[in-house]
Amino acid sequence: MFYELFVRSFYDSDGNGKGDFKGITEKLDYLNDGDPTTDTDLGITGIWLMPINESPSYHGYDVINYRSVESDYGTMSDFQEFLTEAHNRGIKVIIDFVMNHSSDQNPWFQQSALNNAQYRDFYRWSTTDPGYSGPWGQDVWHYKSGSYYYGLFWGGMPDLNYANPAVKDSMFAAADFWLRDVGVDGFRLDAVKYIFEEDSKLEDTESTFQFWSEFNQHIKETSPNAFTVGEAWTNTETVLKYVTEDRLDYCFEFDLASNILNAVDNGDAENLAAHMQKVYNLYPHLQYGTFLTNHDQNRVMSVFGGDEQKARTAAALYLTLPGVPYLYYGEEIGMTGVKPEDKYIRTPMQWSIATNAGFSTVSPWIRVNSDYTVKNVAAQQADSTSLLSWYKQLIAIRNQEVALRSGEYIAIESSSSSVMAFWRRDGDDLKLVLVNTSENDQANLSLSILGGVVDPGTYMVKDLLSSNDIHAVDVSSSAQIENLALSAYETKIYTFGYAIIPGTEKETVLADGFRLHQNYPNPFNPNTCITYEIPAAGNVQLNLFDVRGRVKKALVDEYQVAGQYTITFDAEDLAAGVYFYKLVYNKGMSATKKMLLIR
């Protein structure tokens, strides 16, 4: 669970109006305090830092020195202190590595522009303007000192020339520096589509695909556990080319993000369901990043016109669907921001009602959103119904449930196009997810669960979002679940428990009035009660077994007089799962029942 963080806008520790490494370190406990028993932190397990290299621009995507850190953010020592503290909390850290282009103030480019033979071919130069434009109609050839140089995005960010082996060697060595010497866990790779041009073909070239294969192989040799996520802002079919054949570990799924937003905005999940199935079928297992919006797009809350219910529903979708999720800082408290200027979607984090939203003691580098007095971390921390609390709950459930993190995805057909329904499965652990993307209640909802995921019967289910929602669900012989209901924008995450054997829902009755009742509640967490009856005095043993038949708890082992008995036991020290309890009376009569412990 990654958190995308813009250092300049996260927290100012030294009162100069700009966020810094020490500020992030101070706020790590908000992101993840390292203690799984607490519920005050957000629960993220990874951080993506937007560019931290020395740069002349506020955003950092034009790099002057690939082995330095931006002085506005502190020193390399400050960064390494942050990295150590993050790792101590179990948080992985990846950094933006901008390989396609540099700053025009980078010494490499300055020497290249001076026609220094050692650096001239670090960039592409032409004595005349080749005359073609970029993918969105922009000028890509820029005049300087009697020649033209190639810069896809703008003149201040000239593209590096990887046809020159010295450039590749220099950039691969810079990657080694960050992995081996500094200790980061990997890279978010910017603009991966544009590394190599082939004549006037400027994106998605075969040379570019080959380059990323070489790069990924190289960093695995440097740091086998390092990983790469690429930004290929394009359609799914093209993105796939960057994650196949061991090119990049995974890429962001922009089409899926758009489908999530559109489903919630329009109240119709059909296109989302179709695209999700396409993504799941085409990609190597889970090798794509899921998100709602990022630092280049209007913020989620602005996309939804300030509608918090829509924001909650979109969060529920991308945090339960398969993939590696990324949360853009401030999304969890409903921060707003729209283009045309990117800096207004990268405004300071809103921590409290204090001056400057608690971000800084002085005027920040850019103004704080005016709604910070009602949208801030402190206020939402104190409100169990807030958007922040919703994100915490979803992330906690995802962290606890392997099926939601890495399990299979199995689509379910819903009778309502507004409801996104699917299974997440890890072995015997089965989760049923239902999300109503509409502002309308969904009554008499039915699901078609073909595919042999569960057999017909009656099952106990528990909604992980509501500790009070434990009930039975019937799966018909035609693999239908009928008469479900969801309120407007409601989400259910059901743990699909054991099947109830007909006739044994309440008790097992044996000869001579010997009875073993169904424990209640079941499923349970962490306490449950078991009731039994014996017809006459005798020796009684009641033991709890795991699914492999091993005794986990001896609950009763004594001589008892005739009558009904109820015991309560605490399963706090047991792992979630299926257990059996067996009652033996006078060593000759016995009965066994199944129970489900849910965490």
Side-chain angles (χ1 to χ4, degrees), residues 133-140 151-154 191 193-194 202-203 233:
S133 300
W136 46 94
Q138 79 277 26
D139 291 333
V140 295
L152 179 81
F153 291 99
W154 70 294
K193 290 162 49 68
Y194 306 110
L202 308 183
E203 55 187 330
W233 194 341

Side-chain angles (χ1 to χ4, degrees), residues 122-337:
F122 268 52
Y123 301 85
R124 292 181 62 200
W125 292 89
S126 174
T127 56
T128 60
D129 184 350
Y132 53 80
S133 300
W136 46 94
Q138 79 277 26
D139 291 333
V140 295
W141 288 97
H142 311 278
Y143 183 79
K144 187 177 182 67
S145 303
S147 299
Y148 293 85
Y149 65 91
Y150 179 76
L152 179 81
F153 291 99
W154 70 294
M157 298 196 304
D159 280 39
L160 289 161
N161 177 22
Y162 284 97
N164 179 356
V167 173
K168 186 179 77 171
D169 292 345
S170 297
M171 293 300 287
F172 281 26
D176 291 346
F177 166 78
W178 285 102
L179 293 171
R180 184 172 53 217
D181 299 345
V182 181
V184 301
D185 299 293
F187 302 112
R188 181 267 186 182
L189 298 163
D190 184 63
V192 298
K193 290 162 49 68
Y194 306 110
I195 291 295
F196 269 95
E197 304 80 37
E198 295 175 357
D199 296 324
S200 59
K201 184 177 182 181
L202 308 183
E203 55 187 330
D204 307 321
T205 64
E206 289 302 318
S207 301
T208 295
F209 298 142
Q210 178 60 34
F211 173 85
W212 289 120
S213 294
E214 294 177 17
F215 178 77
N216 225 29
Q217 180 181 349
H218 177 85
I219 71 162
K220 301 297 185 187
E221 292 170 356
T222 300
S223 179
N225 291 325
F227 63 92
T228 53
V229 53
E231 182 219 20
W233 194 341
T234 184
N235 59 72
T236 295
E237 290 78 6
T238 304
V239 175
L240 276 165
K241 298 177 181 179
Y242 290 91
V243 298
T244 55
E245 300 180 27
D246 297 322
R247 287 167 181 160
L248 296 174
D249 291 336
Y250 62 101
C251 284
F252 294 107
E253 234 306 313
F254 282 86
D255 281 357
L256 181 60
S258 296
N259 273 279
I260 292 173
L261 297 178
N262 289 338
V264 176
D265 217 19
N266 300 325
D268 189 334
E270 281 193 346
N271 289 339
L272 170 59
H275 193 77
M276 182 65 250
Q277 192 64 60
K278 174 182 177 180
V279 165
Y280 189 72
N281 291 345
L282 292 178
Y283 278 89
H285 186 57
L286 306 183
Q287 284 185 231
Y288 50 89
T290 57
F291 65 104
L292 297 178
T293 63
N294 63 23
H295 63 283
D296 287 324
Q297 300 168 301
N298 291 342
R299 282 189 171 272
V300 176
M301 190 60 78
S302 295
V303 171
F304 291 140
D307 190 325
E308 186 174 311
Q309 286 298 99
K310 289 185 175 182
R312 287 171 178 262
T313 304
L317 283 166
Y318 94 101
L319 292 176
T320 55
L321 288 170
V324 181
Y326 284 74
L327 188 165
Y328 185 40
Y329 82 95
E331 175 188 306
E332 72 275 21
I333 58 171
M335 282 179 59
T336 57

Side-chain angles (χ1 to χ4, degrees), residues 285-457:
H285 186 57
L286 306 183
Q287 284 185 231
Y288 50 89
T290 57
F291 65 104
L292 297 178
T293 63
N294 63 23
H295 63 283
D296 287 324
Q297 300 168 301
N298 291 342
R299 282 189 171 272
V300 176
M301 190 60 78
S302 295
V303 171
F304 291 140
D307 190 325
E308 186 174 311
Q309 286 298 99
K310 289 185 175 182
R312 287 171 178 262
T313 304
L317 283 166
Y318 94 101
L319 292 176
T320 55
L321 288 170
V324 181
Y326 284 74
L327 188 165
Y328 185 40
Y329 82 95
E331 175 188 306
E332 72 275 21
I333 58 171
M335 282 179 59
T336 57
V338 295
K339 293 191 172 193
E341 291 191 65
D342 285 347
K343 60 185 180 181
Y344 292 119
I345 52 179
R346 305 171 187 175
T347 54
M349 184 68 174
Q350 296 163 205
W351 291 105
S352 70
I353 62 172
T355 304
N356 303 317
F359 163 76
S360 178
T361 56
V362 301
S363 295
W365 71 274
I366 190 174
R367 56 108 176 115
V368 176
N369 285 346
S370 60
D371 62 359
Y372 75 88
T373 55
V374 292
K375 286 184 181 178
N376 63 74
V377 170
Q380 294 195 27
Q381 288 274 37
D383 180 1
S384 63
T385 67
S386 67
L387 181 62
L388 175 58
S389 295
W390 177 244
Y391 266 89
K392 285 182 181 180
Q393 187 179 17
L394 288 169
I395 294 170
I397 290 172
R398 187 179 187 279
N399 286 342
Q400 293 161 8
E401 301 294 342
V402 175
L404 293 178
R405 292 199 308 277
S406 56
E408 299 172 79
Y409 168 84
I410 304 167
I412 297 173
E413 184 178 339
S414 166
S415 61
S416 169
S417 64
S418 296
V419 175
M420 182 75 176
F422 53 92
W423 299 109
R424 298 299 307 278
R425 180 171 68 183
D426 178 65
D428 293 332
D429 183 13
L430 194 61
K431 300 291 184 285
L432 171 62
V433 182
L434 305 174
V435 182
N436 181 8
T437 64
S438 167
E439 63 182 354
N440 300 314
D441 294 346
Q442 303 296 318
N444 300 316
L445 183 70
S446 63
L447 306 177
S448 296
I449 55 172
L450 300 175
V453 177
V454 292
D455 295 325

